[in-house]
Amino acid sequence: MTMSSWPIILLILSVVILSACETVIEIDPPDYESELTITSNFTPDSVWSATITKTLPIGELRDEANAFLTDAAVMVYQGESLIDRLIHDADVPGRYVSFRGIRPESNIPYRIVAEAPGLRSASATSIAPLAPEITNIEIIQLSDPDLFGDSEHQVNFSLTNRPGLNYYSFAIFYGFLKESTTGTIQYEIEYVYMRYDSPWWYCSFTDLLNPVAVPIGDNYSCVIGILSDRSIDEPTLDFEIKFDLSEEIMEQPDADLILAVLALSPEYVEYQGSVEEQDDFYGFGQPVNLYSNIEGGRGIFAGYSATYHLFAQQPQ
């Protein structure tokens, strides 16, 4: 045996000795207590609805059907008055809808309460702000089609700035008729990419909640604008939103441009911001917890209101 082989022999002996000393420790984790989860983004444009689930321990995550509840009691209150009970929709797992077809009203605080056998009750409060008041709406074609058939357009509009802290989002959509694979005609809607050229609105909820220096210019565009009037002390908010449209879109019959402006509750903004941060998490650092305003459980109960303007004919 050569001297050079001794290190290898010693290494093997060390591994054998250490493995012989291995001790198995049994871990008895505490019993997991599931929590109710309420998910409801409500608006005066739709009847009351919510998705009711429960959290599951890690060992049950593969069977997601266990999370959706069919025996929950879901109530909506205005102050101390019960105004609606939501019933389970057998066609959609965990979905509860208004039995009486009642819709929320704007500018009224509501409280949702969910109860289920064996689980602690959960509740939350939110409000759907008044729908945005839009004025001075117009659309302008700024340029002729370029070599690629795209021409620049601009939508102008003003937004009444109400007292207090307000949150808004806006987007432009392109709506058109399209034949499906089954031969039926469907109305489809797609986002229009807007040019980001203003320092007082943002392209994400994350940037709004944590303002940072964002590049502004022709090379930066987004499909949604987010803003608050926290630092704006004007009676109206004026917008000039630029975007490109192709000749193919402009010449398509029965095509529409749609401006959508939403007034958002603070809970809605906080939740969407946390969703964006979680989507952007790449496994480094501390994972982002989703924002929740549910007492006694998890999830989100948040209101919003919308105003839409349809440009029925394409600008020429």
Side-chain angles (χ1 to χ4, degrees), residues 47-300:
V47 300
W48 281 107
S49 65
T51 299
I52 307 299
T53 59
K54 66 177 180 180
T55 59
L56 297 175
I58 294 177
E60 296 183 22
L61 291 181
R62 292 183 179 180
D63 190 2
E64 296 180 357
N66 292 336
F68 297 100
L69 301 182
T70 61
D71 56 353
V74 186
M75 293 78 66
V76 179
Y77 291 85
Q78 180 181 329
E80 298 300 320
S81 300
L82 175 64
I83 62 170
D84 204 357
R85 292 181 183 270
L86 311 188
I87 61 172
H88 181 247
D89 180 358
D91 295 329
V92 183
R95 186 73 164 174
Y96 289 75
V97 297
S98 172
F99 175 72
R100 300 166 57 193
I102 295 178
R103 298 186 180 192
E105 296 182 28
S106 59
N107 208 34
I108 294 178
Y110 291 103
R111 179 167 60 97
I112 192 171
V113 178
E115 300 173 348
L119 297 170
R120 184 174 58 165
S121 65
S123 64
T125 301
S126 187
I127 188 172
L130 291 170
E133 184 179 344
I134 307 175
T135 58
N136 304 323
I137 306 174
E138 65 174 344
I139 184 170
I140 305 169
Q141 182 169 333
L142 300 178
S143 69
D144 294 327
D146 58 19
L147 294 176
F148 301 99
D150 296 331
S151 56
E152 187 178 34
H153 294 73
Q154 179 173 300
V155 164
N156 300 330
F157 67 94
S158 299
L159 192 62
T160 301
N161 193 10
R162 298 190 174 105
L165 176 61
N166 301 283
Y167 294 96
Y168 300 101
S169 71
F170 60 88
I172 300 173
F173 299 91
Y174 166 61
F176 58 98
L177 296 175
K178 182 178 180 180
E179 184 175 351
S180 67
T181 55
T182 60
T184 59
I185 302 298
Q186 298 178 339
Y187 189 76
E188 297 195 2
I189 293 179
E190 296 182 357
Y191 278 104
V192 170
Y193 281 87
M194 305 177 295
R195 190 161 298 121
Y196 178 60
D197 58 3
S198 170
W200 55 274
W201 60 269
Y202 298 90
C203 291
S204 71
F205 291 91
T206 305
D207 289 340
L208 173 65
L209 293 171
N210 303 284
V212 295
V214 180
I216 299 176
D218 293 343
N219 295 326
Y220 196 81
S221 61
C222 47
V223 297
I224 187 171
I226 315 290
L227 71 144
S228 75
D229 59 1
R230 185 188 304 275
S231 59
I232 303 174
D233 192 24
E234 300 293 335
T236 60
L237 309 176
D238 298 320
F239 298 83
E240 296 179 350
I241 309 301
K242 297 181 176 64
F243 56 95
D244 292 332
L245 285 179
S246 67
E247 281 187 300
E248 181 181 358
I249 292 177
M250 296 174 60
E251 294 174 355
Q252 188 165 340
D254 301 316
D256 304 306
L257 280 177
I258 305 165
L259 170 66
V261 183
L262 277 61
L264 312 171
S265 65
E267 297 82 17
Y268 187 99
V269 174
E270 292 282 356
Y271 178 75
Q272 294 299 330
S274 68
V275 169
E276 289 179 350
E277 289 187 351
Q278 190 177 78
D279 289 342
D280 292 338
F281 177 68
Y282 296 104
F284 300 99
Q286 185 71 23
V288 177
N289 292 323
L290 287 180
Y291 169 85
S292 176
N293 64 334
I294 308 296
E295 296 183 6
R298 300 176 185 270
I300 184 64

